[in-house]
Amino acid sequence: MKIDLFYPSQVFIEKEALKYSFTYELVKKFEEKNIPIIEEGIKKFTKEMNEQQFFAFSKRSIILGVNKTKKFESCKPSADYQFSLVSGCPGTCEYCYLQTKHACSPYIKIYVNLNDIFDIIQDYINNGLPKTTTFELASTSDPISVEHITGSVKKAIEFFAGQSNGKLRLVTKFSSIDDILNIEHNGNTKIRFSINSDYVINNFEHNTSSLSERVTASKKILEARYNTGFIIAPIIIYEGWKKEYENLLIKLSEELKDYISVNITFELIQYRFTLRSREIILKRFPKTKLNLNEENLLKKWGPYGYYKYVYPKETSNEIKKFFAEVIKKYFPNATIEYFT
Ligand code: SF4
């Protein structure tokens, strides 16, 4: 089913954001749509709510704020560093790792101090010379989900187009990419689409673009000569998984038959959960079909300071072998960047 472009039900403005002209551009857009603008903190409105009400209200709320981060976190294996122009996302994927990372702040925060952020990126690029430094833009949000409101991704792509030693990467489950098709990118941005089997998309990826919308968007991105890739994540094992994932690759290869000589990349990430995420997921999605039972899974230390539960070695090897074979079969010129 096609989803409408997201617009919030209410917008909150942090005091510091009032110093930036971008705030006023955004406010104008919201006013044109008659969206209430509130110059107060969101907490005042959510403090009496239960978890589900709080989550639903937050996912319909945008906050205009200032990103004060001066030091970027690393982002292995995808890129050297990560930065944010937006945090949070109107999508409601049940497994989303932001359930834990942004447990208390599931709203969508748009950062209005873009030039400050670009200055910090420039410092990182300069300090990394003569090497090329790569940056991930989608680790705390899906910025394409609100690009029709912000235009921030477009500005980031144009910033990186002028860099000789900086590369940008982002990933999305949304298809509203038309505004970034006819801009200068200079081959310095890579756009990946997150795709999955019908079972995973239908059961767990609510309020995101459909698979066919994502694939159509990926064709436009290829046509615009961006470096293009796909992330299959999370790879979930269920009855009939091999057949469904193979069907996904068949469908994708048929759609992309005109681009078969292009070096498309795949990133493969297996399903995992933490005890902290389980607690939150069960409160927000009490009827979830996600397997949150740690029995038969492997406990591993995760980079965010939590133990995570992942498929045991034997299953993981089987998944890895399966995807290596089917990707080679349907995308002989593709590269698998990593499997984790
Ligand atoms: S689209 Fe991405 S960021 Fe948004 S909820 Fe889904 S997994 Fe999380």
Side-chain angles (χ1 to χ4, degrees):
M1 194 182 69
K2 195 170 175 353
I3 53 156
D4 293 334
L5 286 178
F6 168 79
Y7 282 95
S9 300
Q10 53 276 322
V11 174
F12 296 87
I13 308 181
E14 287 182 352
K15 215 168 169 191
E16 282 173 299
L18 294 168
K19 294 183 206 144
Y20 293 84
S21 60
F22 189 27
T23 299
Y24 299 92
E25 284 174 40
L26 292 168
V27 164
K28 192 161 175 275
K29 282 192 189 177
F30 295 129
E31 280 174 348
E32 279 164 9
K33 297 228 162 252
N34 292 322
I35 296 167
I37 315 271
I38 304 163
E39 282 188 39
E40 278 182 285
I42 188 171
K43 280 204 181 108
K44 191 175 161 196
F45 293 77
T46 56
K47 63 177 184 236
E48 304 290 330
M49 293 179 180
N50 67 29
E51 185 63 31
Q52 285 178 27
Q53 290 165 332
F54 165 66
F55 185 62
F57 183 86
S58 299
K59 284 278 181 182
R60 302 284 320 161
S61 301
I62 279 183
I63 297 184
L64 304 182
V66 174
N67 189 342
K68 295 182 194 143
T69 308
K70 297 261 185 293
K71 201 165 174 284
F72 293 158
E73 285 176 42
S74 93
C75 193
K76 297 292 178 195
S78 153
D80 295 314
Y81 297 104
Q82 50 179 281
F83 71 97
S84 305
L85 302 177
V86 178
S87 81
C89 161
T92 37
C93 302
E94 296 185 13
Y95 55 73
C96 179
Y97 96 117
L98 298 179
Q99 306 278 13
T100 317
K101 195 171 163 87
H102 291 173
C104 304
S105 51
Y107 42 73
I108 301 120
K109 191 161 188 174
I110 293 175
Y111 294 120
V112 294
N113 58 329
L114 301 187
N115 289 336
D116 299 346
I117 301 167
F118 294 151
D119 286 347
I120 300 170
I121 295 169
Q122 190 66 62
D123 287 344
Y124 271 86
I125 293 173
N126 294 347
N127 292 337
L129 291 173
K131 284 204 281 199
T132 292
T133 309
T134 52
F135 298 84
E136 171 66 60
L137 175 54
S139 55
T140 60
S141 71
D142 187 321
I144 296 291
S145 65
V146 288
E147 179 63 9
H148 55 286
I149 298 172
T150 65
S152 301
V153 174
K154 177 172 180 274
K155 288 180 189 139
I157 292 171
E158 287 172 335
F159 170 82
F160 275 90
Q163 300 294 331
S164 309
N165 292 82
K167 301 271 186 205
L168 178 68
R169 292 163 70 86
L170 64 108
V171 57
T172 187
K173 287 186 174 73
F174 289 84
S175 57
S176 44
I177 43 73
D178 288 358
D179 290 346
I180 59 169
L181 295 178
N182 296 311
I183 59 169
E184 186 65 66
H185 59 74
N186 222 359
N188 287 344
T189 293
K190 176 159 192 167
I191 299 180
R192 300 103 88 216
F193 288 85
S194 172
I195 55 171
N196 221 310
S197 66
D198 289 340
Y199 173 82
V200 175
I201 292 181
N202 294 339
N203 284 293
F204 308 119
E205 298 186 355
H206 316 296
N207 301 318
T208 59
S209 296
S210 67
L211 177 64
S212 72
E213 288 175 300
R214 296 180 210 176
V215 175
T216 303
S218 76
K219 287 199 299 200
K220 294 183 189 172
I221 286 294
L222 277 158
E223 202 55 44
R225 299 190 171 275
Y226 279 97
N227 295 313
T228 309
F230 293 93
I231 298 190
I232 307 180
I235 297 168
I236 294 184
I237 302 299
Y238 55 93
E239 173 110 28
W241 66 275
K242 283 189 179 168
K243 194 164 183 298
E244 279 212 7
Y245 279 113
E246 183 160 5
N247 282 344
L248 169 70
L249 286 156
I250 293 172
K251 208 187 284 180
L252 189 65
S253 66
E254 284 167 358
E255 288 287 336
L256 301 187
K257 60 180 183 312
D258 294 341
Y259 308 95
I260 211 73
S261 59
V262 176
N263 179 13
I264 289 168
T265 56
F266 285 88
E267 293 155 74
L268 306 171
I269 304 173
Q270 301 168 86
Y271 172 64
R272 73 260 336 261
F273 71 89
T274 63
L275 294 184
R276 171 93 179 106
S277 70
R278 174 168 75 186
E279 194 188 317
I280 297 165
I281 292 166
L282 287 175
K283 274 190 204 154
R284 293 177 178 172
F285 306 98
K287 293 191 183 141
T288 187
K289 289 185 184 158
L290 284 174
N291 177 9
L292 296 167
N293 184 350
E294 69 269 38
E295 261 172 55
N296 305 324
L297 296 181
L298 191 68
K299 189 177 181 184
K300 269 178 99 175
W301 183 246
Y304 301 106
Y306 294 98
Y307 278 106
K308 58 185 175 183
Y309 290 91
V310 297
Y311 291 123
K313 201 81 199 131
E314 218 171 78
T315 313
S316 174
N317 287 342
E318 187 186 351
I319 300 171
K320 189 174 181 183
K321 187 164 168 280
F322 167 77
F323 275 96
E325 283 169 5
V326 286
I327 288 174
K328 195 162 180 37
K329 186 169 171 190
Y330 299 107
F331 288 90
N333 297 314
T335 310
I336 298 176
E337 287 193 337
Y338 58 84
F339 171 86
T340 178

